[in-house]
Amino acid sequence: FAQSHQPFFFFLQISRRPEACLFSSVPPQPVPPLANTLQGYLSALEPLLPPDEISHTRRMVQEFGRRGGLGPKLQEGLEKRARVTKNWIADWWVQRAYLESRQPLPVHSSPAISLPRRDYNDWKSQLVFASKLIAAVLDFKAKIKMGQLPVEYMRGKPLCMELYPLLFSSCRIPGPKHDYVAHYGRSRRSPTHITVVRNYQFFQLEVYNSDGSRMTESQIHAQLLRIRSQSWKTDKEPMGILTSEHRHTWGEAYNRLLKDKLNKESVRLIESGLFSVCLDSPVMRISDEKYASRKAAQILHGGGTFSNSGNRWFDKTLQFVVGEDGSWGLLYEQATAEGPPVAALLHHILEYCEKPDPKRAPIVPLPMPKKLYFHIDREIKWDIEQAKQNLDILINDLDVNVFNFKIFGKDLPKSYNMSPNSFIQIALQLVYYKVHSEVCPTCDIASQRMFRGGRTEFIRSPTNQSVLDSLLCVINGHGIDLHLLGLKLQAIEEGLSIPKIFMDTAYGLATHWKLRTGQVGIPANTDSVMCFGPLVPDGYAVCYNPQADHFHFSITAFNCCEETNAEMFARTLKETLCELQELLQPAV
């Protein structure tokens, strides 16, 4: 409960310094000392395993780490790799964590951020707000290009900003064994269009004038009106549904799709667009109590094939969702970038949306937005039908529970010199134990952007280390999970057998993340909530947004698992938070 452990994003102090000055000043990511990692691994296992199993694993770890053993040899290989690469683990991490995964992107991989509902409930206001949002994102992109983006600092040290330009005109491409990410913004003629999707129909919308200037909000609004007039009816074949499939299945369908010249041209325009904007129909409203859950689910997966799932291209790095009922948010694909750059983008959008439109629209004729067409043969039609069935099964299997805990917020633990983040993590551990009568491997994600090309690392709990110690290890580049992964992959790289410690049941248990947690870093001071699916079939995913006098939570679990239940977890969490309050503030 250390006071100095604030959530990762709370350390950020933004200053105004050009992006170009940054890269040389960010140090390379260190390879942690082998002995530290092995000791940290054993400490992480102690709360999870009985003493006899710990003894067995300890002997195995000691054998691996002994002088002259396999561990030091692999460590030497990693240190050599660190000397000749920009970042010794980042490419391996992206490959293993994202691109080699064959699971569908919706629910299993791409996080959604559901933002506070806008004050409108009609299509006219929807298009006005969508125009503002598009202008805000283009303004953010311009700041990156001009080197005007503030460099982010943590504890006085600059963070690596090189992921920011990659957010735009990037897209994940399916492959048979692994995917790859295409960065179209690196080409000589960078794309100048976005993709707008409405009623399952895709449109190419140019967002720059012929002189290179950005379109104004009123120009964008005029173009969105044109798109609406061309998409009255829902398209019979929702092409975007294909991207929700198992990656191998989608990869095969992708190759069939691109054999046709028209299809290839349309797909390339979607992939190369700066970002996508999904103009959704209203969230299906059952009750006010369930609306927040439905809204988050809508951003996460589109709500199903009879709702807005056909308005997505799940491979796209940035997809902004704007609903007719005022709901809005962002779905992002993580192979290009994880949360912090996305959070900074959203922060900019929220600030921009409070300002009036600064520019008058020039009186110039605008080209008609281009509707993207597809030639759909019998095979592709069958692929779409299969994808629709599979996505609906996945969506129906996911229980999403979003709620606002209003009894107290982060000010309570802070008043007792406790970190709100640690307070919540302790509560979540207690809830899991109450519901399942056991402790479980839990991971939170921390950024590694204090290092050149750094991505993320796991903060583990429960562990015999304090949460503060775990975080400090991660901040110093001494987290255990990336290092263990690196040692395993280094063995494979050298053509060796996978070391025994990675074949041990203890390692399987330690990396079977039954509880995946995440804090919404920013937009701070807004009632936004992040949402994603559990990492394992018998697990939970819990996101939280601490505010001064309340907490926002989203909890997901799979209905197919009889042991897990998101509603029960939410109910127990509310009870547990009240019990912790009583512990801190006993009745006189």
Side-chain angles (χ1 to χ4, degrees), residues 268-289:
R268 287 287 181 263
L269 285 168
I270 294 170
E271 291 173 348
S272 62
L274 297 169
F275 53 90
S276 293
V277 175
C278 314
L279 298 175
D280 277 11
S281 57
V283 175
M284 196 180 296
R285 198 164 195 135
I286 295 176
S287 66
D288 288 348
E289 185 188 0

Side-chain angles (χ1 to χ4, degrees), residues 101 113 173 200 213 254 257 329 351 444 462 576:
S101 171
I113 300 176
I173 311 296
Y200 309 168
S213 62
Y254 182 86
L257 191 65
E351 283 192 340
D444 204 343
T576 301

Side-chain angles (χ1 to χ4, degrees), residues 261-529:
K261 186 181 177 183
L262 177 68
N263 294 344
K264 187 172 185 177
E265 181 187 340
S266 294
V267 169
R268 287 287 181 263
L269 285 168
I270 294 170
E271 291 173 348
S272 62
L274 297 169
F275 53 90
S276 293
V277 175
C278 314
L279 298 175
D280 277 11
S281 57
V283 175
M284 196 180 296
R285 198 164 195 135
I286 295 176
S287 66
D288 288 348
E289 185 188 0
K290 296 279 187 185
Y291 180 74
S293 301
R294 286 281 179 139
K295 187 159 70 82
Q298 177 102 338
I299 310 296
L300 183 65
H301 50 55
T305 57
F306 290 99
S307 188
N308 290 288
S309 294
N311 281 356
R312 307 286 184 270
W313 194 268
F314 288 103
D315 294 357
K316 199 76 185 119
T317 301
L318 296 175
Q319 294 191 95
F320 295 93
V321 178
V322 181
E324 206 174 294
D325 56 354
S327 60
W328 73 292
L330 170 66
L331 180 69
Y332 65 96
E333 201 288 304
Q334 296 187 96
T336 297
E338 286 93 2
V342 172
L345 167 58
L346 287 174
H347 183 79
H348 180 82
I349 291 169
L350 286 165
E351 283 192 340
Y352 189 97
C353 285
E354 296 305 312
K355 301 173 186 175
D357 184 0
K359 292 181 181 177
R360 284 181 139 184
I363 305 171
V364 291
L366 298 174
M368 183 67 76
K370 179 183 176 182
K371 184 173 179 177
L372 305 183
Y373 290 96
F374 295 90
H375 176 249
I376 299 170
D377 60 20
R378 190 179 298 172
E379 274 191 300
I380 298 298
K381 188 175 174 61
W382 188 86
D383 289 333
I384 292 171
E385 287 306 311
Q386 291 297 113
K388 285 163 70 174
Q389 290 178 30
N390 291 336
L391 181 58
D392 282 339
I393 290 168
L394 176 60
I395 288 172
N396 291 330
D397 190 30
L398 186 73
D399 189 10
V400 179
N401 192 305
V402 174
F403 68 93
N404 189 351
F405 180 81
K406 296 181 179 179
I407 297 173
F408 65 86
K410 66 181 179 182
D411 282 355
L412 175 69
K414 284 172 74 174
S415 68
Y416 289 89
N417 293 329
M418 297 177 186
S419 154
N421 194 43
S422 297
F423 180 83
I424 292 294
Q425 288 291 333
I426 292 291
L428 294 176
Q429 288 294 323
L430 188 51
V431 171
Y432 190 92
Y433 189 81
K434 282 182 173 183
V435 174
H436 296 284
S437 303
E438 65 174 13
V439 295
C440 73
T442 304
C443 68
D444 204 343
I445 304 295
S447 176
Q448 294 286 276
R449 286 174 56 232
M450 64 291 292
F451 305 116
R452 195 181 309 138
R455 297 296 295 259
T456 61
E457 172 64 292
F458 291 135
I459 305 174
R460 282 179 166 269
S461 59
T463 172
N464 289 347
Q465 282 185 311
S466 69
V467 181
L468 173 62
D469 290 339
S470 298
L471 179 64
L472 289 175
C473 283
V474 169
I475 289 173
N476 294 328
H478 289 177
I480 67 171
D481 284 282
L482 287 186
H483 192 195
L484 289 171
L485 174 65
L487 292 164
K488 181 180 178 181
L489 295 180
Q490 183 64 30
I492 295 170
E493 185 97 340
E494 295 182 17
L496 304 171
S497 299
I498 293 176
K500 288 179 183 177
I501 66 165
F502 301 116
M503 306 301 286
D504 184 23
T505 53
Y507 185 71
L509 174 71
T511 53
H512 187 79
W513 306 108
K514 287 189 177 182
L515 193 52
R516 174 192 190 186
T517 67
Q519 181 182 336
V520 180
I522 42 181
N525 306 321
T526 67
D527 288 341
S528 53
V529 65

